[in-house]
Amino acid sequence: LQGKGPCSLAKMAASKGKPVLILAGSVDLKAVEELKAICPRTSVLAISRPELSLEGNLRETPKRLSKVLQAWIETEQWELL
């Protein structure tokens, strides 16, 4: 994630004490750990399913995005303001 937009945004938010939610097709757990060490109020969610092809994941993106966000909303307790 280093040098990419989401990481830069998370660092800016962390400097202001703000939480960040990053949605990605897939995530590298080591990269997430490194990011959370710098920006602890960052959540990173993968929306793809590893067992599906790229085409299958693209087809399911709207449904997966909705499902992942709903699960996150139900389990997280962020103060969004």
Side-chain angles (χ1 to χ4, degrees):
L1 290 172
Q2 294 299 324
K4 296 199 174 197
C7 186
S8 297
L9 178 63
K11 286 179 182 178
M12 285 178 17
S15 73
K16 307 252 186 241
K18 301 292 183 182
V20 175
L21 173 61
I22 297 173
L23 301 168
S26 62
V27 296
D28 177 299
L29 295 181
K30 184 177 181 198
V32 172
E33 288 175 11
E34 291 172 6
L35 179 61
K36 287 182 77 75
I38 300 167
C39 311
R41 293 187 70 199
T42 299
S43 292
V44 181
L45 304 177
I47 59 172
S48 65
R49 292 177 41 199
E51 71 276 8
L52 293 180
S53 66
L54 175 59
E55 293 80 19
N57 272 305
L58 290 173
R59 198 171 36 253
E60 289 204 6
T61 295
K63 181 172 73 172
R64 291 286 305 156
L65 182 58
S66 176
K67 184 175 183 176
V68 167
L69 281 174
Q70 185 64 40
W72 180 82
I73 288 167
E74 290 173 358
T75 59
E76 293 296 319
Q77 299 207 3
W78 264 11
E79 183 181 316
L80 296 177
L81 299 176

